[in-house]
Amino acid sequence: MKHSLFAIFPLLMVLGTATQAKDDVAGCSLIRIDQYYGLKEWDCRVPNSPVRISNVYTDQQGQQRVESISSQQNAMCDDQGICSNNGNFAGNAPPGSYHYTFDWYLGTDTKGKPVSYRRGTGPGFGGKYFNASSESDPVDSSQHLPEVVCMPTASFNCSVDGIEVEDRDLPKYLPIVKEQDVKKAGGSCQSAPLCYDKNMIILGLNKKYF
């Protein structure tokens, strides 16, 4: 993916407001936050993607060949929101570490939250930003919940609105939800013990831990 292809990103951030087709965008789930540096690690992979895929390429002799490669790509995004995969431009997203699917790239939705787009679609290719507010969630995320940050070590090590809370007391602040219901709604519970909807709005605590 060439860097010049994304030169229009700043302009599109203002103009792009229409909804992106769901098949062309994947939400990102917060996996963890580094307890020393505060660096966020995100999983933006397309759900149910195969572990390995067949990639067609042209060799030095001009012959087309097929190779088996990992479907997972890894990238780092700096403070300017520029993402790099081993020196190759991988999109524009908030600072952090990212995992995404081959032939996709990193970006944000209309609320500035990280997502991944299929190559050839979305703001990096003259399209629109995914309109996060247009999607409704079967799992209720309308209730106001406190800000919760967890940095699991031997315990979940969570703080609620900036105040450290014991693991056993977390249900006093957050509802308990079933992981299977969250996944059916397109959300994720990868950031133990928290579950989020597909727009990375916190839903509650994963029932299997409480």
Side-chain angles (χ1 to χ4, degrees):
M1 190 178 301
K2 296 181 179 180
H3 194 296
S4 59
L5 205 54
F6 291 78
I8 52 176
F9 264 33
L11 176 61
L12 288 172
M13 189 168 291
V14 177
L15 300 180
T17 57
T19 302
Q20 176 78 16
K22 287 180 64 178
D23 290 343
D24 295 332
V25 64
C28 297
S29 300
L30 184 62
I31 298 175
R32 69 185 186 95
I33 301 176
D34 187 278
Q35 61 180 322
Y36 297 108
Y37 301 104
L39 184 72
K40 294 182 178 180
E41 182 179 359
W42 298 89
D43 183 355
C44 306
R45 292 173 295 179
V46 178
N48 302 317
S49 293
V51 175
R52 300 193 68 82
I53 59 175
S54 296
N55 178 47
V56 180
Y57 71 101
T58 303
D59 64 17
Q60 295 180 345
Q61 286 72 43
Q63 299 294 318
Q64 280 199 334
R65 299 187 181 278
V66 179
E67 61 179 347
S68 176
I69 64 173
S70 171
S71 65
Q72 177 177 304
Q73 303 290 293
N74 303 307
M76 291 290 296
C77 301
D78 62 21
D79 292 338
Q80 284 71 49
I82 299 175
C83 307
S84 174
N85 178 349
N86 292 324
N88 297 312
F89 187 65
N92 294 95
S97 170
Y98 290 83
H99 309 291
Y100 63 103
T101 301
F102 179 80
D103 216 27
W104 289 59
Y105 68 94
L106 300 171
T108 59
D109 60 22
T110 53
K111 292 184 178 181
K113 294 182 178 180
V115 296
S116 63
Y117 293 96
R118 187 188 301 274
R119 182 181 294 186
T121 70
F125 289 82
K128 302 297 185 180
Y129 282 79
F130 175 66
N131 188 351
S133 62
S134 69
E135 296 295 321
S136 58
D137 296 294
V139 180
D140 181 20
S141 58
S142 61
Q143 57 182 313
H144 176 71
L145 297 177
E147 179 180 351
V148 180
V149 176
C150 298
M151 295 181 287
T153 50
S155 64
F156 292 129
N157 193 21
C158 298
S159 63
V160 178
D161 288 335
I163 301 174
E164 293 186 9
V165 174
E166 295 290 336
D167 291 353
R168 63 177 180 274
D169 292 330
L170 286 172
K172 296 179 182 178
Y173 301 90
L174 294 171
I176 294 176
V177 296
K178 295 180 179 179
E179 185 171 0
Q180 58 265 36
D181 293 339
V182 173
K183 288 183 176 180
K184 287 180 181 179
S188 171
C189 294
Q190 292 185 5
S191 183
L194 306 175
C195 293
Y196 295 83
D197 69 10
K198 58 177 165 288
N199 297 319
M200 282 310 298
I201 298 174
I202 190 169
L203 295 173
L205 300 165
N206 192 332
K207 184 178 181 181
K208 73 179 183 180
Y209 297 117
F210 297 91

